[in-house]
Amino acid sequence: LDEHLCLVEYFRAQIREDPDVASAVAAIRSLLEFLKRDQSETILGLRENMTKAIHRLEETDSSVAVSSGGELFLRFISLTSLEHPDLSQCKNVMIERGELFLKKISLSRGKVGKLCHTFIKDGAKILTHSSSRVVLKVLENAAADNKRFTVYVTESQPDSAGKHMAQKLGKLNIPVMVVLDAAVGYIMEKVDLVIVGAEGVVESGGVINKIGTYQMAVCSKAHNKPFYVVSESFKFVRLYPLNQQDVPDRFKYKADILKTVKDLNQEHPMIDYTPPSLITLLFTDLGVLTPSAVSDELIKLYL
Amino acid sequence: KKQHKKNKKDDRGPPEKEKEKEKASVLAPSKPATQSPAHKGTASKYVPLRSDYGYKVSLFSHLHQYSRKNPPTQQISIPATVIHPSIVRLGLQYSQGIIAGSNARSVALLHAFKQVIQDYSTPPNEELSRDLVNKLSPYISFLSQCRPLSASMGNAIKYIKKEISNIPSQCKEEEAKRRLQECIDSYINEKIILASEAISKYAIEKISDGDVILVYGCSSLVNHILCEAFEKQRKFRVIVVDSRPRLEGREALRRLVKKGIRCTYVLISALSYILPEVSKVFLGAHALLANGYVMSRVGTSQIALVAKAYNVPVLVCCETYKFCERVQTDSFESNELDDPDDLIVTRNGKTHLENWQTVKSLGLLNLVYDVTPPDFVDLVITDLGMIPCTSVPVVLRVKNVDQ
């Protein structure tokens, strides 16, 4: 359908123009544009179109954040009393709320950064995994606070995202060292704390993140090092995986691979699930939460 | 005789003399012994207390232990004006174990209350909303004498009492009765029947093809989920774990095999042998406590512990009406002691424990419930959705806000 193609184009353009923006934020901006251009006659039709648009975006970018962000957006805009007799008035109310939601979540990364950087003490050695913009913000804030610390980043194959992270940290004049994914156990005794980002935070309080995070969590538990996760609240998703197998395939593999490859057993998954028992604290724009409090927040967000 | 009766709990006389005493007490109305202060007040005037049976292990001496051979109605005569006959029948069904299982007991209780409300007539100069609640108190204390109330029954009673006291005084009696009947029907429908549909829907998402599911005992909810999943063409097999003396797993086995589900049957002693084959454990619950502990049939915490050791996910299925505000961290504080004679078994013509009461150093303990800490439970499936075990207080708070 034409509108969907426009939507996907808009989404891709957003990511191209501003590579620093979270994919969920770009998705929500595109959905807002879609809402403004939508031509349906009824509110039910509007909601259906929005749901289809979200599915279309999920197919383009198979990250958990797009799925959760989209659902939260839809709930937020339709949570008001849409009792105006005129459809265009209702739409205006929805668009207003959509803009409000967008503004709130654009600020969330800053809030997380402000909360977390106080947990980094002077002289700390930090281990992080792959490339996360939220972790970068946290470390930026800590550096701006004149704290001295060293960062170890894992290489994070198969896309070597860790090297990009190291480059960005280098530009901030933070001493950084890239380690092999296999060297996490080796390096764990040297570090003081582990900070990782998240692609999605699930109902149990666990996180879904780049493959290798679970390993890092298990190692840090064995060495009794605190394992912190930083994430914005729009990444909270209504999934409840029991183990690695239970994570749906549409999140594990990239969208194009899902469409082309027949036997998924031959493919490497891009994400893994870290259970809440291995996580010390989660830093979100809703505050500093223990893993068991995540369900509390989710119930508040969704009920 | 009265003096003997008072010391009966602590004194372990020879069994013959005890049986004589109990027969004698049929002739004389029994007086309340030194039991819990909750029985003071008007209720105790009508409902005599049931006496304990046999030696109680010291750790559980604060709980009652009744014998199935002495039903509550044998010792005392209960006039129909005091206790409604359907309640007497219900009490006997509870005490003899004819109605067992949390949901079954609650539903039976609610149906009995419907009958009571049907036959009720407001005395002159009394208000229905206050008088009916007062009438229910002796019934409830009679039922708890027959068998201690479950958490689900407690919540159902609270709901009924609230509904009764909310009846406006202008309401005519027929109208009020009709309203109460409707309330009870909708409670049963929403909280039990529809809740189990919702829970099945969520639970079926967690059952994938090729799964080996372990269940313990006979939970009506878990059986319902497995039957639904089988109808939805999921390919799985079930391992039913059972334990003495109730051997409830046989009933679960019968129901599942009738549906056509492939089942294996083991006793709980073979648990660590069978667990490496298992992919998921589904457990039912009697109640979910406010600190996240799961109260369920004795043996459940053992299963959860061993499953944790083998890294097998443990899922507890429980309707929200079984959530209670109580907090308990161990299985001693509040539990139920079943008839100790159930543990006596005859093998090869020999019954070794037949005269257990004569052996002074021997006690038989037949526990009914135990508590499982939340660290062993991975997921709780309720009609509100899938929540971690630690979120039970949140659900309670949300429910209180609703009410």
Side-chain angles (χ1 to χ4, degrees):
Chain A
L1 295 176
D2 297 325
E3 308 108 45
H4 287 178
L5 284 173
C6 274
L7 174 73
V8 173
E9 250 323 295
Y10 191 86
F11 175 64
R12 291 220 173 100
Q14 289 279 312
I15 302 230
R16 261 197 311 262
E17 285 163 28
D18 189 3
D20 218 17
V21 77
S23 52
V25 176
I28 290 171
R29 273 200 206 128
S30 334
L31 286 171
L32 200 56
E33 247 331 285
F34 185 82
L35 177 63
K36 285 179 189 157
R37 294 185 201 167
D38 185 62
Q39 303 286 337
S40 10
E41 304 285 301
T42 61
I43 293 189
L44 199 61
L46 190 68
R47 282 195 67 122
E48 266 181 39
N49 283 350
M50 292 299 289
T51 323
K52 280 193 211 143
I54 294 177
H55 283 294
R56 190 71 186 77
L57 279 178
E58 274 177 37
E59 281 171 29
T60 323
D61 182 343
S62 64
S63 67
V64 185
V66 168
S67 153
S68 67
E71 211 195 309
L72 278 168
F73 175 71
L74 198 56
R75 291 198 119 252
F76 193 81
I77 58 175
S78 33
L79 216 59
T80 53
S81 65
L82 297 164
E83 279 170 9
H84 308 275
D86 191 8
L87 179 70
S88 58
Q89 257 188 322
C90 285
K91 249 181 90 169
N92 285 341
V93 169
M94 286 172 96
I95 291 175
E96 232 179 88
R97 283 186 72 78
E99 306 269 354
L100 188 65
F101 187 71
L102 196 58
K103 202 163 67 162
K104 222 171 55 145
I105 61 177
S106 316
L107 299 170
S108 47
R109 202 186 281 169
K111 281 192 210 165
V112 178
K114 259 194 278 201
L115 265 180
C116 187
H117 79 266
T118 48
F119 279 71
I120 300 174
K121 299 194 176 47
D122 216 12
K125 296 201 195 54
I126 303 171
L127 175 61
T128 183
H129 184 63
S130 184
S131 170
S132 164
R133 290 169 283 231
V134 191
V135 176
L136 192 62
K137 189 88 173 100
V138 167
L139 296 175
E140 226 183 276
N141 284 11
D145 211 18
N146 288 327
K147 293 220 175 94
R148 282 165 297 187
F149 54 89
T150 343
V151 180
Y152 297 93
V153 191
T154 53
E155 207 179 31
S156 176
Q157 296 294 358
D159 53 3
S160 294
K163 296 204 176 134
H164 293 279
M165 183 75 165
Q167 272 173 4
K168 289 188 224 167
L169 284 170
K171 288 196 197 127
L172 297 168
N173 285 326
I174 298 174
V176 59
M177 228 181 81
V178 178
V179 296
L180 292 174
D181 295 337
V184 167
Y186 169 79
I187 205 90
M188 194 55 77
E189 55 185 39
K190 286 196 207 165
V191 300
D192 299 315
L193 66 151
V194 183
I195 305 183
V196 299
E199 294 205 19
V201 179
V202 295
E203 271 190 270
S204 57
V207 290
I208 294 183
N209 198 22
K210 185 79 185 295
I211 190 112
T213 314
Y214 178 50
Q215 232 154 258
M216 200 180 273
V218 173
C219 276
S220 65
K221 183 88 180 181
H223 285 264
N224 277 324
K225 308 282 177 180
F227 187 85
Y228 299 134
V229 173
V230 290
S231 147
E232 303 99 317
S233 65
F234 57 77
K235 289 181 180 160
F236 282 21
V237 64
R238 293 218 79 172
L239 263 182
Y240 204 126
L242 295 170
N243 45 29
Q244 306 298 336
Q245 301 283 17
D246 221 8
V247 180
D249 278 340
R250 65 180 197 272
F251 297 135
K252 274 195 212 170
Y253 308 101
K254 282 204 184 302
D256 22 343
I257 293 183
L258 278 172
K259 282 186 228 164
T260 52
V261 173
K262 295 278 187 280
D263 184 14
L264 284 171
N265 283 332
Q266 302 289 332
E267 289 300 320
H268 295 288
M270 295 298 288
I271 53 148
D272 64 19
Y273 165 66
T274 307
S277 48
L278 301 172
I279 301 174
T280 323
L281 286 175
L282 282 113
F283 295 90
T284 69
D285 48 320
L286 300 168
V288 183
L289 308 171
T290 57
S292 23
V294 170
S295 167
D296 212 346
E297 293 297 325
L298 263 172
I299 292 182
K300 274 196 239 163
L301 276 175
Y302 276 95
L303 268 179
Chain B
K1 275 183 200 163
K2 285 184 199 167
Q3 196 135 46
H4 279 303
K5 267 193 64 72
K6 279 215 175 99
N7 293 336
K8 200 158 71 163
K9 271 200 329 259
D10 313 314
D11 202 64
R12 288 175 61 236
E16 294 85 13
K17 278 203 187 144
E18 273 203 2
K19 285 186 184 147
E20 270 181 18
K21 281 179 211 156
E22 276 161 6
K23 277 196 200 132
S25 62
V26 173
L27 307 167
S30 58
K31 287 274 160 65
T34 51
Q35 299 241 12
S36 52
H39 286 288
K40 288 198 185 123
T42 49
S44 66
K45 278 198 289 189
Y46 303 129
V47 182
L49 295 163
R50 198 176 169 193
S51 41
D52 284 339
Y53 167 74
Y55 172 68
K56 285 196 285 194
V57 174
S58 55
L59 214 55
F60 296 94
S61 54
H62 59 286
L63 301 169
H64 295 296
Q65 185 171 275
Y66 302 128
S67 164
R68 210 160 291 130
K69 291 201 291 283
N70 304 327
T73 45
Q74 214 176 57
Q75 300 173 280
I76 46 185
S77 66
I78 304 169
T81 45
V82 173
I83 309 238
H84 193 280
S86 62
I87 300 280
V88 177
R89 184 178 68 177
L90 188 67
L92 277 175
Q93 283 172 327
Y94 284 164
S95 71
Q96 301 300 97
I98 298 172
I99 296 187
S102 199
N103 280 344
R105 283 164 73 189
S106 307
V107 172
L109 177 75
L110 290 168
H111 282 306
F113 275 177
K114 268 173 70 174
Q115 187 64 42
V116 166
I117 291 173
Q118 189 65 38
D119 297 338
Y120 172 76
S121 51
T122 327
N125 302 329
E126 291 280 354
E127 270 206 29
L128 181 135
S129 54
R130 261 170 292 192
D131 189 56
L132 187 54
V133 178
N134 289 342
K135 276 265 175 357
L136 288 180
S137 304
Y139 300 167
I140 293 165
S141 77
F142 171 72
L143 287 174
S144 62
Q145 291 285 294
C146 299
R147 192 176 160 189
L149 295 180
S150 65
S152 51
M153 287 164 69
N155 285 344
I157 290 171
K158 254 191 251 175
Y159 173 76
I160 292 185
K161 283 192 174 169
K162 190 174 77 89
E163 285 301 311
I164 296 176
S165 29
N166 281 347
I167 299 270
S169 41
Q170 317 92 300
C171 211
K172 284 215 219 12
E173 191 176 306
E174 285 309 313
E175 169 70 22
K177 282 203 228 179
R178 194 190 55 81
R179 207 186 279 195
L180 285 173
Q181 309 271 22
E182 264 172 27
C183 277
I184 293 183
D185 281 330
S186 76
Y187 187 82
I188 296 179
N189 197 31
E190 267 173 51
K191 305 279 180 179
I192 303 180
I193 300 177
L194 288 179
S196 86
E197 297 292 320
I199 294 177
S200 306
K201 198 170 64 94
Y202 291 122
I204 289 173
E205 285 171 34
K206 287 290 169 210
I207 300 180
S208 26
D209 287 341
D211 260 348
V212 179
I213 299 179
L214 187 131
V215 298
Y216 178 62
C218 184
S219 163
S220 53
L221 187 54
V222 174
N223 291 341
H224 184 252
I225 291 172
L226 293 176
C227 294
E228 286 276 305
F230 190 71
E231 266 168 39
K232 295 230 162 69
Q233 315 296 335
R234 292 275 198 278
K235 309 266 174 300
F236 59 93
R237 66 183 179 91
V238 176
I239 298 180
V240 180
V241 177
D242 202 6
S243 70
R244 277 200 65 230
R246 287 176 171 238
L247 291 172
E248 285 168 331
R250 294 188 179 179
E251 174 61 28
L253 189 66
R254 195 184 61 86
R255 289 187 204 173
L256 295 174
V257 168
K258 210 162 94 163
K259 265 284 177 173
I261 304 176
R262 265 187 12 200
C263 295
T264 312
Y265 177 83
V266 289
L267 289 179
I268 198 165
S269 28
L271 189 61
S272 55
Y273 168 77
I274 203 90
L275 255 170
E277 289 178 24
V278 174
S279 62
K280 294 193 175 74
V281 177
F282 271 79
L283 299 171
H286 168 85
L288 235 63
L289 305 175
N291 56 349
Y293 279 65
V294 179
M295 184 176 210
S296 188
R297 183 69 77 223
V298 67
T300 310
S301 69
Q302 196 176 327
I303 297 204
L305 175 70
V306 183
K308 186 79 183 176
Y310 280 89
N311 245 332
V312 174
V314 174
L315 289 78
V316 169
C317 308
C318 181
E319 299 96 332
T320 47
Y321 87 104
K322 288 183 187 159
F323 285 20
C324 69
E325 313 239 327
R326 224 174 51 211
V327 171
Q328 221 180 300
T329 50
D330 56 54
S331 313
F332 307 120
E333 178 208 329
S334 130
N335 206 326
E336 195 187 318
L337 294 176
D338 209 0
D339 193 349
D341 289 339
D342 283 348
L343 294 180
I344 302 175
V345 66
T346 308
R347 290 244 166 79
N348 299 331
K350 281 191 258 185
T351 315
H352 291 276
L353 288 173
E354 202 163 13
N355 300 317
W356 67 277
Q357 308 235 32
T358 53
V359 183
K360 286 232 183 325
S361 51
L362 180 62
L364 291 184
L365 181 64
N366 190 358
L367 279 177
V368 183
Y369 299 117
D370 69 14
V371 281
T372 310
D375 333 324
F376 296 153
V377 177
D378 289 297
L379 171 61
V380 176
I381 309 182
T382 68
D383 35 312
L384 290 178
M386 298 191 260
I387 57 171
C389 223
T390 42
S391 289
V392 168
V394 181
V395 172
L396 282 170
R397 200 175 49 204
V398 167
K399 270 202 326 170
N400 286 339
V401 165
D402 282 342
Q403 282 166 357

